[in-house]
């Protein structure tokens, strides 16, 4: 569980007693994220991402840090965990601010110019391995959750917004299935497409 409000550490709580079993005080969790459970070869880990470009795996039984990956981007919002795949932002906040804005093609429902790149990593007990990165011209979510995962025709896809469009991308290959510029009357409300 998060140990505070905003960017914070995490605590392990005993499900039977409610007692705190361990506490990672370092700010490994983004201000709008939830720690996630990932199990591999019978061992369970807590996965957390933050806005400083770190993804951290913590041994769920002891609270010891298993590994930290420091080449991620701004993940103050939730990264997506799908089996042994983790999808997040690759671009840091500082780098995003220097990127050119996409061409605004008129009325749109996606607020703001969402620049950056989305990345997919394969998780192992020793760290992350990058599988694919979206092209910079697609953009990436800024100041909002990454997106959602869906299954179509027995394939998994991630749907995220970037630029002024929404992209549907194959989780395993990183290939775009479709991209749509959504316009009114679609409404964006606190990170949710309505």
């Amino acid at each position: 569980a998060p140990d505070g409000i905003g960017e914070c550490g995490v605590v392990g709580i005993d499900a039977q007693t409610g007692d705190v079993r361990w506490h990672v005080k370092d700010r490994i969790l983004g201000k709008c994220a939830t720690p996630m459970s990932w199990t591999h070869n019978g061992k369970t880990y807590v996965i957390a991402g933050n806005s400083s470009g770190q993804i951290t795996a913590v041994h769920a039984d002891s609270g010891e840090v298993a590994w930290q990956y420091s080449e991620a981007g701004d993940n103050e919002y939730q990264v997506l965990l799908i089996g042994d795949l983790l999808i997040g932002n690759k671009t840091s906040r500082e780098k995003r601010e220097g990127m050119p804005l996409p061409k605004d093609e008129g009325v749109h429902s996606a607020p703001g110019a969402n620049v950056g790149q989305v990345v997919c990593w394969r998780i192992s007990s020793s760290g992350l391995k990058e599988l694919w990165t979206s092209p910079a011209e697609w953009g990436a979510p800024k100041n909002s959750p990454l997106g959602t995962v869906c299954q179509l025709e027995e394939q998994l896809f991630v749907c995220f917004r970037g630029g002024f469009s929404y992209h549907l991308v194959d989780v395993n290959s990183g290939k775009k299935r479709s991209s749509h510029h959504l316009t009114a009357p679609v409404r964006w409300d606190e990170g949710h497409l309505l």
Side-chain angles (χ1 to χ4, degrees):
D3 74 351
I5 298 172
E7 198 136 301
C8 61
V10 295
V11 294
I13 299 173
D14 187 301
Q16 300 296 321
T17 66
D19 295 335
V20 174
R21 293 185 56 200
W22 49 262
H23 188 185
V24 176
K25 294 180 181 179
D26 294 340
R27 296 178 181 271
I28 63 171
L29 187 64
K31 72 178 182 178
C32 298
T34 301
M36 298 168 293
S37 175
W38 174 71
T39 302
H40 181 70
N41 291 336
K43 293 183 180 178
T44 301
Y45 301 83
V46 174
I47 307 295
N50 67 19
S51 64
S52 301
Q54 290 182 322
I55 306 288
T56 303
V58 176
H59 290 282
D61 59 350
S62 67
E64 292 180 41
V65 173
W67 51 259
Q68 281 193 312
Y69 180 85
S70 59
E71 297 176 32
D74 177 2
N75 285 292
E76 72 176 333
Y77 288 84
Q78 192 71 38
V79 290
L80 300 174
L81 179 63
I82 308 111
D84 290 342
L85 301 179
L86 188 70
I87 300 175
N89 281 307
K90 182 171 183 159
T91 313
S92 70
R93 183 171 295 160
E94 297 77 23
K95 189 173 179 183
R96 265 188 200 174
E97 290 173 1
M99 295 180 95
L101 297 178
K103 182 180 175 186
D104 185 353
E105 299 172 359
V107 178
H108 51 82
S109 62
N114 299 290
V115 298
Q117 292 176 282
V118 171
V119 62
C120 179
W121 299 279
R122 181 166 306 284
I123 305 175
S124 74
S125 57
S126 59
L128 297 177
K129 178 183 178 187
E130 189 173 313
L131 294 182
W132 56 263
T133 300
S134 66
E137 60 268 15
W138 291 4
K142 178 182 175 186
N143 300 325
S144 69
L146 182 64
T148 191
V149 174
C150 62
Q151 184 173 347
L152 300 170
E153 302 164 5
E154 299 190 25
Q155 283 182 287
L156 290 176
F157 293 88
V158 59
C159 181
F160 64 89
R161 66 187 175 108
F164 294 102
S165 297
Y166 292 82
H167 309 290
L168 189 63
V169 177
D170 183 297
V171 167
N172 292 300
S173 69
K175 292 182 180 177
K176 184 167 40 172
R177 179 174 176 145
S178 64
S179 184
H180 297 282
H181 180 84
L182 297 180
T183 59
V186 175
R187 191 178 95 216
W188 186 263
D189 183 24
E190 295 189 18
H192 302 283
L193 181 63
L194 303 175

